[in-house]
Amino acid sequence: MVSQREKTLINFKKAQSSVGKIIKMMEEGGYCIDIMQQNLAVIGLLKSAHQMLMENHLETCFKSAMKTTNEKKKEEMIDEILKVIKIYNK
């Protein structure tokens, strides 16, 4: 069975490969719509990878931090999540 980490890595590798194809299409004067479709595919792969990373972080690091009695650690973890969400929504 493929782990969540492996699935995320697969998405990043697919995105990397697709970016290479986009660059080649641009260099060869490819059709704009074809390039935009490839670009949207990359964006989708990266969004999916981001979602997987977030889910994994919440299930592991975040859940662990919330179980502790260290209030400072809890606040730091919440702040980190909010920071990432803010960046993502820009």
Side-chain angles (χ1 to χ4, degrees), residues 51-69:
Q51 181 69 27
M52 287 186 251
L53 288 169
M54 179 62 84
E55 288 173 10
N56 183 64
H57 182 68
L58 291 173
E59 285 294 325
T60 57
C61 303
F62 187 80
K63 193 181 268 187
S64 175
M66 292 302 110
K67 288 180 181 177
T68 184
T69 58

Side-chain angles (χ1 to χ4, degrees), residues 9-28 33-47:
L9 187 57
I10 288 167
N11 274 15
F12 280 125
K13 287 181 177 183
K14 285 180 180 178
Q16 181 181 35
S17 174
S18 294
V19 168
K21 291 175 187 173
I22 291 169
I23 292 169
K24 185 175 181 183
M25 291 169 75
M26 289 290 299
E27 290 172 342
E28 295 175 354
I33 294 295
D34 293 338
I35 295 168
M36 286 187 280
Q37 287 174 334
Q38 285 297 312
N39 187 53
L40 290 171
V42 170
I43 291 168
L45 286 165
L46 293 174
K47 281 184 173 184

